[in-house]
């Protein structure tokens, strides 16, 4: 098959559209012909060699994809050739001690498409039948491919880590990104008042359309003071952060006592300033997002299919030009999700 792959770590140009062996399906697998595949920031780190995952090269990236079943193993159950499907982007082994204790999210042999096994940046993907999620023929393959990663991440952060409740005041910094725009919508679904920050006035309009109650354009001044002015001095119950960077301490500082900051990304910088004195005096909690468990992946797909959470699509590129998609993402100019489509 043809796939966008890389044989060594490097810049976007390291991505090659090359012939690699077709995946071979086992009795419990299905073969999916890819229609659309999401491109994530983590893909850029994977390709650059900075992800801290031990990859076996060549690797075919792509955690979230939709496509048509073109091959079915003899023990793959009711799935049929021609079905439109997606797959859980990561899944547990079902056999280890953690899985036996109903903690699939702590599985010792976790599999992740595009990380531990080939994902959706190619023409074909081998998928274990037990992680296939059937779609309706009317479902939009692009919307489904665009949403699983960002919506499940956002849903887990809002509901399981920040424990957002109706009436809470929530801050989403740099809210134009993929996960951040889903965070705005999931926090609204949870009944919160949402304040977002953005870099430009144009992005403020787009974030307001997603449901943010206020969208603050970052200036050069004191962002913490600007935020508290916008809320008439009320402090935030939760901060849902995807960016880290030099403003991390300022975002933390607007929390109420015993408020929670949940972090899932560090596009603005991985090593951040942190003053420990106010941290313990205020009892702030900093919580890392690790992984969304399988039931929340399934739930997030339902939110996408029913339009409860919309993931704007910034651009689509053919799989053959995945390098261009990576360069586009690296410019940080987009709002919403970047997709690869067959071809
Ligand atoms: Zn396991």
């Amino acid at each position: 098959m043809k796939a966008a792959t890389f044989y060594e770590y490097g810049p976007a140009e390291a991505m090659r559209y090359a012939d690699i062996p077709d995946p071979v399906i086992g009795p419990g697998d299905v073969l999916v012909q890819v229609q659309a595949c999401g491109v994530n920031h983590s893909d850029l780190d994977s390709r650059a060699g900075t992800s801290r995952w031990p990859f076996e090269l060549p690797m075919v990236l792509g955690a979230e994809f939709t496509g048509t079943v073109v091959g079915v193993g003899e023990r793959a159950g009711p799935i049929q050739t021609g079905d439109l499907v997606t797959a859980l982007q990561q899944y547990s082994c079902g056999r280890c001690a953690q899985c036996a204790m109903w903690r699939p999210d702590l599985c010792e042999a976790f599999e992740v498409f595009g990380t531990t096994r080939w994902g959706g940046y190619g023409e074909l993907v081998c998928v274990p039948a037990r992680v296939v999620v059937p779609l309706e023929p009317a479902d939009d393959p692009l919307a489904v491919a665009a949403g699983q990663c960002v919506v499940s991440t956002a849903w887990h952060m809002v509901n399981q880590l920040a424990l957002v409740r109706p009436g809470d005041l929530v801050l989403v910094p740099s809210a134009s990104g993929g996960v951040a725009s889903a965070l705005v919508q999931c926090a609204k679904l949870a009944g919160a008042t949402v304040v977002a920050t953005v870099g430009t006035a144009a992005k403020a309009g787009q974030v307001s359309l997603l449901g943010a109650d206020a969208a603050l354009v970052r200036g050069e001044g004191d962002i913490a003071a600007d935020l508290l002015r916008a809320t008439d001095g009320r402090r935030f119950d939760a901060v849902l952060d995807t960016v880290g960077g030099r403003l991390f301490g300022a975002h933390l500082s607007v929390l109420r006592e015993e408020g929670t900051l949940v972090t899932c990304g560090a596009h603005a910088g991985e090593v951040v300033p942190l003053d420990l004195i106010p941290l313990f005096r205020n009892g702030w909690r900093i919580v890392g997002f690790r992984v969304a468990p399988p039931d929340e992946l399934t739930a997030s797909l339902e939110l996408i299919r029913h339009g409860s959470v919309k993931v704007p699509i910034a651009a689509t590129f053919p799989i053959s030009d995945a390098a261009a998609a990576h360069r586009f993402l690296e410019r940080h100019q987009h709002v919403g999700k970047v997709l690869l489509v067959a071809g």
Side-chain angles (χ1 to χ4, degrees), residues 91-100 103-104 106-110:
Y91 57 93
S92 54
C93 73
R95 293 185 298 273
C96 71
Q98 297 292 351
C99 283
R103 287 302 303 268
L106 297 177
C107 176
E108 294 157 12
F110 223 63

Side-chain angles (χ1 to χ4, degrees), residues 26-312:
D29 298 328
V30 303
L31 192 63
V32 174
Q33 184 170 25
V34 174
Q35 291 189 23
C37 178
V39 180
N40 288 303
H41 270 283
S42 59
D43 296 350
L44 310 180
D45 299 330
S46 301
R47 185 215 68 228
T50 56
S51 73
R52 307 181 196 177
W53 280 94
F55 284 99
E56 277 182 40
L57 302 183
M59 174 50 68
V60 180
L61 300 171
E64 43 186 352
F65 50 86
T66 50
T68 308
V69 175
V70 292
V72 181
E74 66 257 29
R75 290 203 297 276
I79 303 161
Q80 295 187 345
T81 301
D83 287 354
L84 180 65
V85 298
T86 184
L88 301 182
Q89 63 190 28
Q90 74 246 346
Y91 57 93
S92 54
C93 73
R95 293 185 298 273
C96 71
Q98 297 292 351
C99 283
M101 289 188 290
W102 299 94
R103 287 302 303 268
D105 55 318
L106 297 177
C107 176
E108 294 157 12
F110 223 63
E111 295 275 7
V112 184
F113 284 103
T115 299
T116 64
R117 58 184 296 152
W118 287 358
Y121 275 38
E123 289 176 318
L124 300 167
V125 191
C126 170
V127 183
R130 66 189 177 91
V131 303
V132 168
V133 179
L135 300 175
E136 300 292 332
D139 284 335
D140 178 357
L142 269 62
V144 174
Q148 183 182 171
C149 181
V150 296
V151 176
S152 63
T153 300
W155 185 256
H156 190 65
M157 287 172 71
V158 167
N159 294 292
Q160 301 297 336
L161 301 179
L163 302 174
V164 172
R165 294 291 177 261
D168 279 359
L169 182 62
V170 169
L171 170 63
V172 181
S174 298
S176 60
V179 175
S181 55
L183 282 166
V184 169
Q185 297 172 78
C186 288
K188 287 306 296 177
L189 285 174
T193 298
V194 177
V195 177
T197 69
V198 288
T200 66
K203 286 181 174 177
Q206 286 160 316
V207 167
S208 295
L209 288 175
L210 296 174
D213 298 280
L216 194 73
V217 180
R218 284 188 306 274
E220 290 304 310
D222 182 345
I223 185 72
D226 291 346
L227 283 165
L228 292 175
R229 199 173 302 120
T231 64
D232 291 329
R234 182 178 168 191
R235 292 184 168 271
F236 289 83
D237 299 286
V239 177
L240 306 172
D241 187 30
T242 62
V243 291
R246 66 183 175 83
L247 295 178
F248 183 88
H251 294 147
L252 190 67
S253 75
V254 297
L255 279 173
R256 65 162 166 80
E257 287 187 339
E258 301 194 350
T260 302
L261 182 150
V262 184
T263 169
C264 75
H267 311 318
E270 298 169 9
V271 179
V272 298
L274 176 62
D275 184 344
L276 291 174
I277 303 288
L279 179 79
F280 63 71
R281 281 191 182 160
N282 289 287
W284 291 327
R285 300 180 181 92
I286 300 175
V287 180
F289 166 86
R290 191 174 60 84
V291 67
D295 56 332
E296 290 178 45
L297 295 182
T298 311
S300 66
L301 284 169
E302 289 301 303
L303 291 171
I304 299 158
R305 291 173 66 191
H306 296 131
S308 304
V309 178
K310 295 186 174 63
V311 179

